[in-house]
Amino acid sequence: MYIPKISTKRVLGLVMASALAVTGTVTFASSSQAVSSVQVKLSPITGASTGGTIVTITGKNFQTDVGTAQIGTIRFGLVACSDTPAGTAATTISITSPTKVVVTTPALTVAKYFVCVFDVAGTLLVGSSTFTGVLPVSSLAITPASGPTLGGTKVVVSGDDFTAKTKATVGGKLITATKVVINAGATDDTLTGLLPAGSGADAKLVVTNEGGNVEVLAAVDYFDAVKVSPSAGAGALNDVINVTGSGFLAGTFSDTAATGVSQLALIQAPIAAAGTAPTTRMCGKVQVESDTQLNCQLLTTNTDGAYTLVLFKLATATTITNAATIARSANYTVSDY
């Protein structure tokens, strides 16, 4: 007859089963443990000093397995956290799981805050971290306020309260290759970068930092010409240059300097985004053939060399509001052949 082997583990199991038969069901403790003070993580760790930033706090034991809240208040204070509640309470608290709480920050100042998480009774510190209040950017300007449709124009965005994480978009597209310089005192902060590709007029500039964003309407005009032909010529008086692009019917071109008109010029060096308009090497007698085609005639005889066609708008009869190279293909070389 077979006699099963009884191990020590099996003996303990039989003893437990016997005890259950006598005493009834054994209740096991919940996997959630009592709350204890731990370092919690915040995302983001910076936000608007005016309040209203939605912050996710991750940790453990924020609620029991059955959803009972283990924490009550979350405060933002300027002194280190302790069991004595201090600081301003978060305006909204939502415990979404045992490991995650979502809060809305209260109004703050520009400073580093201690974030203190307290139990339901509000008398026991159960977690802590830090959060920094930041002012939103303000007083924005962009120079130059125009560029070719292909993008690539170097622009400088100036304003107040920039940070190392400040970003800027034009027409919803990011200004790339940026460098942020934060200046003290009354001098504006700056963000330098390359204008993205775009089209049309009044493209919106949006600048964002950890404190929020600010928008500037009617910020940037895109010039739509994309090609110049021929790419070389004698550069003689009345030589014709053809420009292919789009949006020409909306423009106002004139050989006579006047406020608000646009003019074309062939130049050998960049001209300022705002300043004195070129007076030589003009390409005038502009004839708009269609919304995608125009031509102009050289009003002076040009010396040999490489030129770039530039479109600019006059602020007055002698100064410009902005200027932009038509496109990367807007080069014209004068040669005697």
Side-chain angles (χ1 to χ4, degrees), residues 229-301:
S229 66
S231 60
L237 179 67
N238 294 326
D239 278 1
V240 175
I241 295 177
N242 298 298
V243 181
T244 303
S246 63
F248 296 145
L249 291 177
T252 300
F253 298 90
S254 175
D255 295 348
T256 304
T259 300
V261 301
S262 293
Q263 294 185 320
L264 292 163
L266 286 173
I267 63 171
Q268 290 183 297
I271 61 175
T276 303
T279 57
T280 59
R281 307 188 184 97
M282 299 300 296
C283 194
K285 301 180 182 179
V286 175
Q287 177 65 54
V288 179
E289 299 180 15
S290 69
D291 201 44
T292 60
Q293 185 74 40
L294 65 76
N295 60 66
C296 64
Q297 297 180 32
L298 298 183
L299 302 183
T300 58
T301 300

Side-chain angles (χ1 to χ4, degrees), residues 107-321:
L108 307 169
T109 58
V110 181
K112 184 175 182 179
Y113 282 79
F114 296 94
V115 182
C116 310
V117 182
F118 293 93
D119 67 354
V120 175
T123 57
L124 178 65
L125 179 69
V126 300
S128 63
S129 189
T130 57
F131 181 87
T132 302
V134 179
L135 284 172
V137 294
S138 61
S139 304
L140 289 180
I142 184 169
T143 304
S146 60
T149 56
L150 295 179
T153 299
K154 184 178 180 179
V155 293
V156 178
V157 179
S158 58
D160 294 329
D161 302 308
F162 287 9
T163 71
K165 293 186 178 181
T166 294
K167 297 180 180 180
T169 61
V170 172
K173 297 180 180 179
L174 194 67
I175 293 178
T176 58
T178 56
K179 177 182 179 181
V180 177
V181 176
I182 300 170
N183 296 308
T187 306
D188 285 341
D189 302 326
T190 60
L191 179 149
T192 303
L194 302 179
L195 198 67
S199 61
D202 301 343
K204 181 168 61 178
L205 169 69
V206 179
V207 180
T208 306
N209 70 0
E210 302 93 309
N213 63 52
V214 63
E215 301 180 0
V216 178
L217 300 178
V220 176
D221 290 336
Y222 280 98
F223 297 113
D224 296 317
V226 294
K227 187 177 181 181
V228 172
S229 66
S231 60
L237 179 67
N238 294 326
D239 278 1
V240 175
I241 295 177
N242 298 298
V243 181
T244 303
S246 63
F248 296 145
L249 291 177
T252 300
F253 298 90
S254 175
D255 295 348
T256 304
T259 300
V261 301
S262 293
Q263 294 185 320
L264 292 163
L266 286 173
I267 63 171
Q268 290 183 297
I271 61 175
T276 303
T279 57
T280 59
R281 307 188 184 97
M282 299 300 296
C283 194
K285 301 180 182 179
V286 175
Q287 177 65 54
V288 179
E289 299 180 15
S290 69
D291 201 44
T292 60
Q293 185 74 40
L294 65 76
N295 60 66
C296 64
Q297 297 180 32
L298 298 183
L299 302 183
T300 58
T301 300
N302 291 264
T303 57
D304 289 357
Y307 294 82
T308 299
L309 188 65
V310 171
L311 174 64
F312 60 93
K313 185 181 293 185
L314 290 171
T316 68
T318 57
T319 61
I320 62 176
T321 55

Side-chain angles (χ1 to χ4, degrees), residues 3-16:
I3 299 175
K5 182 178 179 181
I6 300 177
S7 64
T8 302
K9 182 177 181 180
R10 182 171 175 81
V11 169
L12 292 174
L14 291 172
V15 171
M16 179 63 75

